[in-house]
Amino acid sequence: YKRFYKLMTILAKEKTNISVDTLEKISNTDLADLCYNAEQAIKAGGGFGWITVPPRDVLKRYWNSILLVNTNTLIVGRLNGDIAGSMQLSFYPPNNEAQKTIARIKSHFVAPWARGYGLAKAMIDYAIVKSKENNKINIQLDIRETQTAAIQLFESKGFIRWGENPTYAFVNGNPIKGYYYYKNI
């Protein structure tokens, strides 16, 4: 029975269609997916800064506001056509000549139900491609120490930890360490 179950799980994963793209505008369906999956990620402790799930109207405003800033790119990962994760890729504004070749990964997550399919890896690879297309030579990010799976993933993708902040964030009044990473591309 265990062998059969494992085989069925593998077959189910093999039939999963993974895709990554950028959103230029957010449809109602994509907005619903983003909000729902962000809520699930927040509940699982990986909600890109949120500790408690905000009201749905706050999430809707958050997602819609990302596209208003022309230095942001909203990358989404899809499983069988449905958004299951996202990553913001940010570039510095044109007046910041000293950092014009740097991209930043911000606010990334994969919904708990969609983990284990390679979606996060695909979004990182896509962010690297998009950064190169925009003449960037370096990608930076920061992350809470509690995001151990994400830390392992970024390190496996060649990101180098260059620093840490012992009071990067506070969760329930307790300080959480944060790590800073970069990757030359």
Side-chain angles (χ1 to χ4, degrees):
Y1 176 74
K2 283 186 180 181
R3 188 172 153 180
F4 176 75
Y5 176 75
K6 186 175 184 178
L7 179 62
M8 291 302 293
T9 302
I10 291 167
L11 290 175
K13 285 186 179 188
E14 288 174 1
K15 292 183 180 194
T16 301
N17 180 18
I18 297 170
S19 63
V20 177
D21 58 56
T22 55
L23 293 184
E24 302 296 323
K25 63 184 250 186
I26 301 175
S27 70
N28 288 336
T29 301
D30 286 347
L31 183 58
D33 285 349
L34 285 165
C35 289
Y36 174 77
N37 291 314
E39 290 166 349
Q40 299 309 306
I42 293 165
K43 289 175 185 175
F48 47 91
W50 270 303
I51 298 168
T52 57
V53 176
R56 183 57 73 102
D57 64 314
V58 171
L59 280 172
K60 285 180 179 180
R61 280 195 307 273
Y62 169 79
W63 289 114
N64 282 316
S65 71
I66 290 170
L67 298 181
L68 296 177
V69 180
N70 66 357
T71 56
N72 289 338
T73 301
L74 181 56
I75 297 171
V76 294
R78 297 177 187 270
L79 289 179
N80 298 328
D82 296 325
I83 293 177
S86 79
M87 173 182 290
Q88 291 174 46
L89 184 64
S90 181
F91 304 131
Y92 287 94
N95 66 301
N96 188 340
E97 292 177 325
Q99 293 176 306
K100 71 180 180 181
T101 59
I102 297 171
R104 291 198 39 82
I105 291 174
K106 305 187 314 186
S107 304
H108 48 90
F109 79 92
V110 173
W113 61 267
R115 294 176 184 164
Y117 292 94
L119 197 55
K121 288 178 187 175
M123 287 191 297
I124 293 168
D125 292 342
Y126 189 83
I128 291 169
V129 167
K130 282 294 181 191
S131 296
K132 287 179 179 179
E133 286 176 358
N134 284 278
N135 301 313
K136 307 309 176 201
I137 60 172
N138 182 277
I139 299 181
Q140 301 175 2
L141 64 99
D142 52 78
I143 192 166
R144 289 193 316 246
E145 70 175 333
T146 55
Q147 305 304 118
T148 55
I151 289 168
Q152 290 172 351
L153 176 58
F154 281 111
E155 289 177 354
S156 77
K157 291 300 220 172
F159 284 80
I160 299 166
R161 184 186 309 179
W162 65 266
E164 68 179 55
N165 177 347
T167 55
Y168 172 81
F170 289 86
V171 177
N172 299 322
N174 298 313
I176 303 293
K177 202 181 303 180
Y179 301 129
Y180 298 90
Y181 286 87
Y182 75 93
K183 177 181 174 84
N184 292 323
I185 55 173

